[in-house]
Amino acid sequence: MDQPTATSGTLVYLPEQSRAGRWAGACFKAAIFLRMFQPLVVLGGAAIVILLSTVCPVAAQTGGPIITGSNPNAPITGIQNLVTLDVWLLIAAGIGGIGWALINGMRRQSWGAQLIFGAACLGFGGIVALWNEYANGRSPDLPTF
């Protein structure tokens, strides 16, 4: 099998030999096409904004923000919800990693990396959850022994 090198002409045969090479060639062609029309898209968008602001300037001052409605705390609440979702995803990944390590241990395969990274996900999820509680002004409820 021929090894591709950087000399001229040898990289031309790569798309003929591999699916990844064809996919990369298509991506390069799409990037070149989009790069050619990028100034036109920016100019067109700017022209539309200027046209709309001159035709109807009152539209910029009516109603609340588009994203948040009339609630000014909506972006903050959204970030808090994303942090909470990330905590749950980290905890789920930690439980999944530890479970995967147990299954691999029973099948007599390597299990150390799964156990370490599963425990790291659980630990980091717990630290982020604790930080999130303190950052939002709530004290975490700790169990009494």
Side-chain angles (χ1 to χ4, degrees):
M1 182 167 173
D2 297 330
Q3 292 294 325
T5 60
T7 60
S8 65
T10 58
L11 291 177
V12 177
Y13 299 111
L14 248 151
E16 297 172 359
Q17 294 177 358
S18 71
R19 186 181 325 169
R22 288 189 296 273
W23 180 254
C27 287
F28 280 129
K29 287 178 185 176
I32 291 169
F33 178 77
L34 290 175
R35 192 69 161 161
M36 284 185 343
F37 288 105
Q38 183 180 8
L40 293 176
V41 171
V42 171
L43 234 59
I48 289 172
V49 168
I50 291 171
L51 183 66
L52 288 177
S53 65
T54 56
V55 171
C56 189
V58 179
Q61 299 176 9
T62 58
I66 295 172
I67 297 174
T68 62
S70 59
N71 183 7
N73 291 329
I76 296 169
T77 306
I79 291 172
Q80 289 172 346
N81 290 338
L82 282 176
V83 169
T84 304
L85 177 68
D86 287 342
V87 165
W88 283 108
L89 289 175
L90 279 171
I91 290 172
I95 292 171
I98 291 173
W100 186 18
L102 291 172
I103 290 171
N104 279 347
M106 287 186 275
R107 296 172 66 197
R108 298 187 183 263
Q109 295 177 350
S110 61
W111 53 270
Q114 290 90 2
L115 184 67
I116 290 171
F117 286 111
C121 280
L122 274 177
F124 189 67
I127 291 170
V128 172
L130 183 66
W131 172 82
N132 191 26
E133 290 293 316
Y134 283 131
N136 292 325
R138 299 183 298 257
S139 63
D141 297 330
L142 298 175
T144 55
F145 294 105

